[in-house]
């Protein structure tokens, strides 16, 4: 099963073929990144330079003083057969090929080279990741294909045929508090493919949520089986590239994959229980929801933090996603009226904070009181009502921080899933930037599921509920 692959994430040593002296070369970046972060020995392979970053080089893999577990290839494809042969001689376990220009070119000569390389590797037990991929990001061991990625591990596992999309999920996800167990950019997938990798992540105890960007499937039946099995263990979020005619054309030249019909893909997701995302933004939203929010099996929603027309639009957006904005229960309204006779009769769901000036109750007290009712399953609270971040007024910026504090109290008290809406803002002053960064840091520190709009929050909540209701039905 999948756990047969666990050894590829725990190498004793790493060699970078094509490690370069030039900071502009990818071989330089790979070597520098492993040298600075990997906990084991890192060897530079370069037949011209005597050293790279002060480390003596070796001309070939064969020249290394010991067997090596993991090799990263950043050399031209014309030298790849010699590299594979050398890897076999040094008992290499996994060869990651950043090297490209194989079957994705559409040329038979390059496709034949890919087949020859794979046959050599398979005959010796050497596993290949790629070609044409960025490789592994495993923060627990310090393995990475990008600089500046978070060093601390998390619980999100992600696989991607696109190295760029893998990097975007890591970087954009980090801003919203996502931390990753393992990210695997797997490119052309001539050996380690999406079915094998999802099977592995399904069993991986470090991974609680699985995400995948897939352009084409190598083995359809194996893939469906892997997704169905994984979805019954943990949430699986899938984003399909190549849904349109234009996208399908791009897929063939990107990773030499065959894109499938969109309706077939949708049906597969329904049958397997996978969550079908339609954009990178939606992929991130789903990963945030499933990694930061507890289980939810009910659609009854309480919305807070809105004002005036914003509350009206929030109601529309949530209901359009199939969420139910339950009216305030009689016993709760009686308590609100007891505390403030005038305001108690006005309160609605969504809670309109703009009418609460002069009330004996604060907005967060109202949300807390209503949210405690068993009539509600999920709470979405906005801290950007009135635009406290889109201003240079320090008083309004501090208001956003107070709302966050109150939301934290509500989340801890209610024991229910709570989503937080914080609108994206382009800062205009250093003071505004610092206020935004502080708020974002506190959200990450508190483990909040944050979303840039009510529409995206409500969509993510709906998918969260749909998945856990499906799980409860099959158990």
């Amino acid at each position: 099963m999948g756990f047969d692959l666990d050894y590829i994430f725990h190498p004793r040593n790493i060699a970078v073929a094509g490690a370069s002296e030039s900071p502009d070369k990818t071989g330089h970046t790979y070597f520098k990144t492993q040298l600075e972060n990997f906990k084991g020995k890192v060897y530079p392979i370069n037949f011209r330079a005597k050293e790279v970053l002060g480390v003596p080089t070796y001309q070939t893999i064969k020249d290394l003083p010991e067997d090596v577990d993991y090799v990263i290839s950043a050399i031209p494809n014309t030298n790849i057969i010699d590299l594979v042969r050398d890897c076999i001689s040094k008992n290499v376990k996994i060869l990651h090929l950043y090297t490209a220009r194989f079957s994705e070119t559409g040329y038979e000569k390059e496709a034949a080279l890919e087949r020859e390389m794979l046959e050599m590797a398979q005959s010796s037990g050497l596993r290949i990741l790629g070609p044409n991929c960025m490789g592994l990001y495993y923060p627990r061991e310090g393995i990475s294909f990008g600089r500046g990625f978070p060093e601390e591990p998390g619980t999100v596992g992600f696989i991607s045929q696109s190295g760029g999309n893998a990097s975007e999920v890591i970087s954009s996800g980090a801003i919203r508090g996502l931390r990753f167990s393992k990210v695997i950019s797997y490119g052309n997938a001539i050996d380690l493919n999406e079915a094998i990798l999802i099977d592995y992540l399904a069993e991986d105890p470090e991974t609680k949520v699985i995400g995948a960007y897939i352009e084409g499937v190598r083995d359809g039946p194996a893939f469906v089986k892997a997704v169905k099995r994984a979805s019954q263990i943990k949430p699986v979020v899938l984003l399909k590239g190549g849904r349109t005619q234009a996208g399908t054309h791009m897929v063939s030249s990107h990773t030499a994959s065959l894109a499938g019909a969109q309706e077939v893909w949708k049906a597969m997701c329904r049958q397997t229980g996978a969550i079908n995302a339609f954009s990178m933004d939606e992929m991130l939203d789903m990963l945030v929801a499933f990694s930061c929010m507890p289980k939810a099996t009910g659609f009854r929603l309480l919305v807070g933090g809105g004002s005036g027309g914003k509350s009206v639009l929030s109601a529309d957006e949530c209901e359009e996603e199939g969420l139910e904005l339950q009216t305030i229960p009689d016993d709760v309204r009686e308590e609100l009226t007891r505390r403030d006779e005038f305001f108690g009769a006005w309160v609605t769901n969504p809670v309109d904070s703009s009418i609460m000036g002069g009330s004996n109750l604060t907005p967060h007290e109202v949300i807390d009181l209503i949210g405690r009712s068993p009539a509600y399953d999920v709470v979405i609270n906005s801290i950007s009502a009135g635009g406290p971040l889109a201003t240079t007024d320090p008083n309004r910026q501090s208001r956003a921080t107070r709302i966050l504090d109150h939301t934290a109290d509500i989340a801890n008290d209610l024991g229910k899933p709570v989503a937080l809406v914080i609108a994206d803002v382009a800062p205009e002053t250093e003071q505004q930037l610092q206020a935004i960064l502080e708020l974002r840091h506190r959200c990450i520190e508190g483990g909040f599921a944050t979303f840039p709009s009510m529409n995206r929050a409500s969509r993510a909540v709906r998918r969260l509920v749909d998945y856990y209701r499906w799980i409860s039905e099959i158990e």
Side-chain angles (χ1 to χ4, degrees), residues 24 57 159 227 245 310 372 384 390 428:
D24 296 329
T57 63
I159 69 170
V227 172
Q245 184 175 353
K310 193 72 174 178
R372 290 177 185 276
S384 53
E428 298 180 2

PDB file of all heavy atoms in Angstrom, residues 24 57 159 227 245 310 372 384 390 428:
ATOM      1  N   ASP A  24      21.545  32.064 -10.437  1.00  0.00           N
ATOM      2  CA  ASP A  24      20.441  32.089 -11.385  1.00  0.00           C
ATOM      3  C   ASP A  24      20.010  30.691 -11.823  1.00  0.00           C
ATOM      4  O   ASP A  24      18.971  30.544 -12.481  1.00  0.00           O
ATOM      5  CB  ASP A  24      20.829  32.903 -12.630  1.00  0.00           C
ATOM      6  CG  ASP A  24      21.088  34.365 -12.309  1.00  0.00           C
ATOM      7  OD1 ASP A  24      20.459  34.881 -11.368  1.00  0.00           O
ATOM      8  OD2 ASP A  24      21.936  34.982 -12.987  1.00  0.00           O
ATOM      9  N   THR A  57      32.857  19.576  -4.596  1.00  0.00           N
ATOM     10  CA  THR A  57      31.942  18.865  -5.485  1.00  0.00           C
ATOM     11  C   THR A  57      32.492  17.495  -5.882  1.00  0.00           C
ATOM     12  O   THR A  57      33.666  17.189  -5.696  1.00  0.00           O
ATOM     13  CB  THR A  57      31.694  19.679  -6.769  1.00  0.00           C
ATOM     14  OG1 THR A  57      32.936  19.816  -7.462  1.00  0.00           O
ATOM     15  CG2 THR A  57      31.127  21.049  -6.457  1.00  0.00           C
ATOM     16  N   ILE A 159      -0.573  17.241  -3.360  1.00  0.00           N
ATOM     17  CA  ILE A 159       0.160  16.770  -4.524  1.00  0.00           C
ATOM     18  C   ILE A 159      -0.241  17.617  -5.715  1.00  0.00           C
ATOM     19  O   ILE A 159      -1.380  18.084  -5.793  1.00  0.00           O
ATOM     20  CB  ILE A 159      -0.066  15.269  -4.811  1.00  0.00           C
ATOM     21  CG1 ILE A 159      -1.504  15.013  -5.287  1.00  0.00           C
ATOM     22  CG2 ILE A 159       0.256  14.425  -3.580  1.00  0.00           C
ATOM     23  CD1 ILE A 159      -1.739  13.604  -5.813  1.00  0.00           C
ATOM     24  N   VAL A 227      -8.838   7.492  -4.463  1.00  0.00           N
ATOM     25  CA  VAL A 227      -9.592   8.642  -3.973  1.00  0.00           C
ATOM     26  C   VAL A 227     -10.753   8.203  -3.090  1.00  0.00           C
ATOM     27  O   VAL A 227     -11.002   8.777  -2.024  1.00  0.00           O
ATOM     28  CB  VAL A 227     -10.102   9.499  -5.150  1.00  0.00           C
ATOM     29  CG1 VAL A 227     -11.045  10.587  -4.650  1.00  0.00           C
ATOM     30  CG2 VAL A 227      -8.931  10.131  -5.893  1.00  0.00           C
ATOM     31  N   GLN A 245     -11.542  23.297 -23.550  1.00  0.00           N
ATOM     32  CA  GLN A 245     -10.765  22.946 -24.734  1.00  0.00           C
ATOM     33  C   GLN A 245      -9.395  23.614 -24.695  1.00  0.00           C
ATOM     34  O   GLN A 245      -8.375  22.983 -24.984  1.00  0.00           O
ATOM     35  CB  GLN A 245     -11.518  23.368 -25.996  1.00  0.00           C
ATOM     36  CG  GLN A 245     -10.812  22.958 -27.294  1.00  0.00           C
ATOM     37  CD  GLN A 245     -11.641  23.290 -28.521  1.00  0.00           C
ATOM     38  OE1 GLN A 245     -12.788  23.705 -28.399  1.00  0.00           O
ATOM     39  NE2 GLN A 245     -11.070  23.115 -29.683  1.00  0.00           N
ATOM     40  N   LYS A 310     -24.546  45.265   3.846  1.00  0.00           N
ATOM     41  CA  LYS A 310     -23.643  44.118   3.912  1.00  0.00           C
ATOM     42  C   LYS A 310     -24.367  42.911   4.487  1.00  0.00           C
ATOM     43  O   LYS A 310     -24.158  41.772   4.042  1.00  0.00           O
ATOM     44  CB  LYS A 310     -22.433  44.478   4.777  1.00  0.00           C
ATOM     45  CG  LYS A 310     -21.282  43.497   4.686  1.00  0.00           C
ATOM     46  CD  LYS A 310     -20.585  43.599   3.349  1.00  0.00           C
ATOM     47  CE  LYS A 310     -19.358  42.726   3.311  1.00  0.00           C
ATOM     48  NZ  LYS A 310     -18.690  42.773   1.988  1.00  0.00           N
ATOM     49  N   ARG A 372     -24.959  30.302  21.203  1.00  0.00           N
ATOM     50  CA  ARG A 372     -25.041  29.208  22.179  1.00  0.00           C
ATOM     51  C   ARG A 372     -26.274  28.329  21.957  1.00  0.00           C
ATOM     52  O   ARG A 372     -26.326  27.188  22.422  1.00  0.00           O
ATOM     53  CB  ARG A 372     -25.077  29.776  23.597  1.00  0.00           C
ATOM     54  CG  ARG A 372     -23.774  30.398  24.053  1.00  0.00           C
ATOM     55  CD  ARG A 372     -23.909  31.014  25.433  1.00  0.00           C
ATOM     56  NE  ARG A 372     -22.708  31.702  25.829  1.00  0.00           N
ATOM     57  CZ  ARG A 372     -21.647  31.110  26.380  1.00  0.00           C
ATOM     58  NH1 ARG A 372     -21.673  29.807  26.587  1.00  0.00           N
ATOM     59  NH2 ARG A 372     -20.590  31.808  26.707  1.00  0.00           N
ATOM     60  N   SER A 384     -14.459  42.729   9.355  1.00  0.00           N
ATOM     61  CA  SER A 384     -14.139  43.822   8.437  1.00  0.00           C
ATOM     62  C   SER A 384     -15.344  44.711   8.166  1.00  0.00           C
ATOM     63  O   SER A 384     -15.326  45.533   7.262  1.00  0.00           O
ATOM     64  CB  SER A 384     -13.619  43.271   7.109  1.00  0.00           C
ATOM     65  OG  SER A 384     -14.513  42.322   6.571  1.00  0.00           O
ATOM     66  N   ALA A 390      -9.418  48.948   5.982  1.00  0.00           N
ATOM     67  CA  ALA A 390      -9.242  49.794   4.811  1.00  0.00           C
ATOM     68  C   ALA A 390      -9.254  51.263   5.207  1.00  0.00           C
ATOM     69  O   ALA A 390      -9.955  52.090   4.633  1.00  0.00           O
ATOM     70  CB  ALA A 390     -10.330  49.504   3.790  1.00  0.00           C
ATOM     71  N   GLU A 428      -1.862  51.134   2.388  1.00  0.00           N
ATOM     72  CA  GLU A 428      -1.355  52.367   1.795  1.00  0.00           C
ATOM     73  C   GLU A 428      -0.312  53.039   2.669  1.00  0.00           C
ATOM     74  O   GLU A 428       0.429  53.904   2.202  1.00  0.00           O
ATOM     75  CB  GLU A 428      -2.515  53.330   1.537  1.00  0.00           C
ATOM     76  CG  GLU A 428      -3.543  52.790   0.541  1.00  0.00           C
ATOM     77  CD  GLU A 428      -4.677  53.763   0.316  1.00  0.00           C
ATOM     78  OE1 GLU A 428      -4.638  54.861   0.899  1.00  0.00           O
ATOM     79  OE2 GLU A 428      -5.599  53.436  -0.457  1.00  0.00           O
TER      80      GLU A 428
END
